[in-house]
Amino acid sequence: MVADLFRTEAVTKRFGPVEALTNLSVDLGAGTIGLVGPNGSGKTTLIRLLLGLVQPTTGRLSVLGHDPQTEPLRVREQVGYMPEHDCLIPGMSGVGFVAYMGTVSGLPRETAISRAHDVLEFVGLAEQRYRKIREYSVGMRQRIKLAQAIVHDPPLCFLDEPTSGLDPKGREEMLGLLAALSKTGGRSFVISTHLLPDTEGLVDQVLLLSAGKLLAAGPVERLLSTRSAETVVRVKGDSAAFVAALISKGLEVRPIGSDLHVVLPAGDTRPVFQAASDTQTQVRYLGRSVNTIEELFLSLVEAPLQGAGA
Amino acid sequence: MSISSPRYTAPSVDRLGRASRTLAVLRHELLSRAGLGTLLVVALAYIAVTLIVVFDADFASAAGQLSVSTYEAPFQSPLWALVILIVATAAGAGSVAEDRGSRSIVLYLSRPIHLSDYLSAKAGSIGSWILIAAVGPGLVAVGILAALGVGSATVNLSAAAGFVATGVLAALFFTGLALALSSLTDRALYAGVAMFGLVLSLDIGVGVVSGITGNSTVLYASPVTDLTSVAEAAFHVAGPYPTDPVSSAVLLAVVGGLLAVAAYWQLSQVEVVGE
């Protein structure tokens, strides 16, 4: 297993006037990493920076101990890449294409052909391997993109929006493939997605981006446990007045949807009921926040209103 | 029977080096351009050039007038340049444009090869096809004549050198042109039309301008005229030539090289391919 998967130090990337990534510093180890954020948050840009396909405006990067700027081939010898967009060669057969990509990655021709058959079997395209790619459905195209990314058995794979464009059944099947891959030791995956539920139960580390800025990065368990100190409160009545009352008591409050996430010192719930009493509101629900990655993301995106504890 | 989740495992394999990866791209490109149209044009070139050269040389030999210049006959027809242009277009117009159009260029560049390797492979394929069409027929004709005992070894070797020199220069120029125009667009059709438009308009245009102004210097701007001058000189045809053959040869090689560099520069500027 590789201990240090990739590292960025104060990386900023601008495309003309647009700042795609801002001062990004992360250090993640081997495993399955969820690169999570809404569209336009800089996920694809980060992957392309890590592959050495684009150069950072400022800052430094390292992938598997190599600098993609100065040693791009050393990096690309050890990685696989599944782009988000369609990028296949339509006139080739499935097996021909995957084998070809294997040879371009340095596999001997016979080995590449053999691996292509194996990997197409694994992704569920054994029956369609001799068909032209132009005849493939969206789901089959996603599968063959995954196949070409792993045909040379790289220790690290970047998968950019692997469930993009898939119907629910196709999505489940793709997530199943990714789960099976991630369980096979010795390989790490960076799975970029804006569909946060896709990462649940699949990734062990997460890198959350929003508008090119880092929200959080690290092991999922640690990030969730940090945030689970919050208490979820739902009230009926004048919610704004209730929030104001909580803030006046020095509490940190994050409205997330109709819920209020409140950080209670030492778990003391009395200020909540006091605030409800003061504002004539009813507390309809009060419980520990059971965070998912999606909730974690939302809690980080929503800025705290105020709070002495912040 | 037990059911377990699928696993993908593969034994580790020693990877081949950068040159092998580049050759893999070259091989794929070379084969993928072997379409029916390309093969038909190349076959016609072989048949036509071989027949013209063999019959001309045979008649000249019978008349006791065989010399290296006899072998230059195919270059007297504008069809020769047209055949080279068709082959260069078929092999080169889509070389980069199709990868840009399908966005598969991202897959190539995410593999352990440099952009220069990618373009070298593409150039190697285009150049090979042009050499097959431009040099091959002449060499086959010379080989047939040598086998028939027509012409001395010196004459046949000089003629072979003439075909090689002219074909290599044609390959240099048209490869650069195809790469440059193909890297500008994601439609092979646009690049192909641009290749034909540029070469033919230059050839016709400079001929008209030269005729009106009486200035023969503008003829250097036509790659077809440059190639004709080089061919005439290479086959020892008596002058005067339309342009100075040495200057034309240098011009074709330099412009071809510069166009290839322009293709590299153009693609290296495209940071976000396919967005």
Side-chain angles (χ1 to χ4, degrees), chain A residues 153-171:
Chain A
D153 198 28
L156 170 60
C157 255
F158 293 104
L159 311 176
D160 197 355
E161 303 280 1
T163 58
S164 174
L166 297 179
D167 57 27
K169 184 170 176 286
R171 175 179 164 274

Side-chain angles (χ1 to χ4, degrees), chain B residues 17-56:
Chain B
R18 190 174 145 198
S20 298
R21 301 169 200 154
T22 307
L23 280 174
V25 181
L26 170 58
R27 182 179 174 279
H28 167 78
E29 185 69 13
L30 204 55
L31 293 176
S32 68
R33 299 293 159 196
L36 185 63
T38 313
L39 292 176
L40 198 64
V41 171
V42 170
L44 288 174
Y46 271 81
I47 293 167
V49 170
T50 305
L51 289 177
I52 290 169
V53 172
V54 168
F55 280 111
D56 269 20

Side-chain angles (χ1 to χ4, degrees), chain A:
Chain A
M1 289 288 275
V2 183
D4 192 12
L5 203 63
F6 70 82
R7 176 187 300 170
T8 67
E9 294 172 25
V11 168
T12 294
K13 178 62 188 175
R14 291 190 198 93
F15 293 104
V18 179
E19 197 158 276
L21 282 175
T22 306
N23 199 31
L24 183 72
S25 295
V26 290
D27 187 354
L28 292 168
T32 304
I33 298 166
L35 177 53
V36 179
N39 289 329
S41 59
K43 303 186 297 295
T44 299
T45 299
L46 176 58
I47 289 177
R48 289 183 172 178
L49 282 165
L50 293 168
L51 284 166
L53 293 176
V54 294
Q55 306 300 322
T57 308
T58 58
R60 295 182 59 190
L61 302 102
S62 164
V63 180
L64 299 168
H66 301 288
D67 185 339
Q69 276 183 277
T70 57
E71 306 170 281
L73 298 198
R74 296 294 296 274
V75 171
R76 292 181 211 149
E77 278 170 356
Q78 300 182 72
V79 304
Y81 175 43
M82 174 184 176
E84 175 187 5
H85 53 70
D86 207 359
C87 56
L88 306 168
I89 303 175
M92 295 188 81
S93 68
V95 70
F97 172 73
V98 176
Y100 174 46
M101 285 295 127
T103 58
V104 182
S105 291
L107 292 181
R109 191 167 154 68
E110 292 72 23
T111 309
I113 292 170
S114 167
R115 286 262 180 95
H117 284 282
D118 288 348
V119 81
L120 285 171
E121 176 98 32
F122 172 74
V123 300
L125 286 178
E127 299 285 323
Q128 297 84 11
R129 72 184 103 173
Y130 295 111
R131 281 171 59 184
K132 299 283 186 197
I133 289 174
R134 69 166 66 92
E135 299 167 7
Y136 280 16
S137 66
V138 175
M140 289 157 71
R141 284 168 178 266
Q142 287 296 90
R143 284 165 187 258
I144 200 167
K145 273 164 44 181
L146 175 62
Q148 64 78 31
I150 61 174
V151 65
H152 52 299
D153 198 28
L156 170 60
C157 255
F158 293 104
L159 311 176
D160 197 355
E161 303 280 1
T163 58
S164 174
L166 297 179
D167 57 27
K169 184 170 176 286
R171 175 179 164 274
E172 284 301 318
E173 288 170 353
M174 176 58 75
L175 291 175
L177 285 173
L178 299 181
L181 279 169
S182 63
K183 282 175 191 160
T184 310
R187 293 193 194 91
S188 294
F189 294 88
V190 175
I191 301 169
S192 157
T193 183
H194 69 282
L195 303 169
L196 284 83
D198 283 0
T199 58
E200 303 293 347
L202 182 62
V203 304
D204 45 42
Q205 297 173 81
V206 71
L207 196 163
L208 299 175
L209 290 175
S210 179
K213 296 183 178 68
L214 177 68
L215 295 179
V220 174
E221 278 185 23
R222 180 172 63 76
L223 291 172
L224 293 184
S225 65
T226 305
R227 286 287 159 183
S228 65
E230 292 180 349
T231 299
V232 177
V233 181
R234 285 183 210 131
V235 293
K236 184 180 180 185
D238 189 350
S239 177
F242 178 72
V243 169
L246 288 175
I247 291 171
S248 71
K249 294 178 187 304
L251 298 176
E252 182 184 333
V253 184
R254 298 168 190 269
I256 299 174
S258 59
D259 293 348
L260 299 172
H261 286 228
V262 186
V263 179
L264 297 171
D268 183 4
T269 57
R270 282 176 296 180
V272 173
F273 293 107
Q274 186 63 53
S277 172
D278 293 347
T279 57
Q280 298 299 301
T281 50
Q282 292 178 14
V283 176
R284 306 299 294 264
Y285 175 82
L286 188 145
R288 298 286 288 182
S289 163
V290 182
N291 281 308
T292 61
I293 294 175
E294 186 167 13
E295 287 172 339
L296 172 68
F297 179 81
L298 291 173
S299 73
L300 289 166
V301 170
E302 298 281 346
L305 291 180
Q306 196 184 330

Side-chain angles (χ1 to χ4, degrees), chain B residues 35-83:
Chain B
L36 185 63
T38 313
L39 292 176
L40 198 64
V41 171
V42 170
L44 288 174
Y46 271 81
I47 293 167
V49 170
T50 305
L51 289 177
I52 290 169
V53 172
V54 168
F55 280 111
D56 269 20
D58 199 31
F59 290 137
S61 177
Q65 295 173 337
L66 181 65
S67 68
V68 179
S69 61
T70 308
Y71 294 74
E72 195 262 347
F75 298 99
Q76 291 172 9
S77 165
L79 286 177
W80 179 83
L82 191 64
V83 165

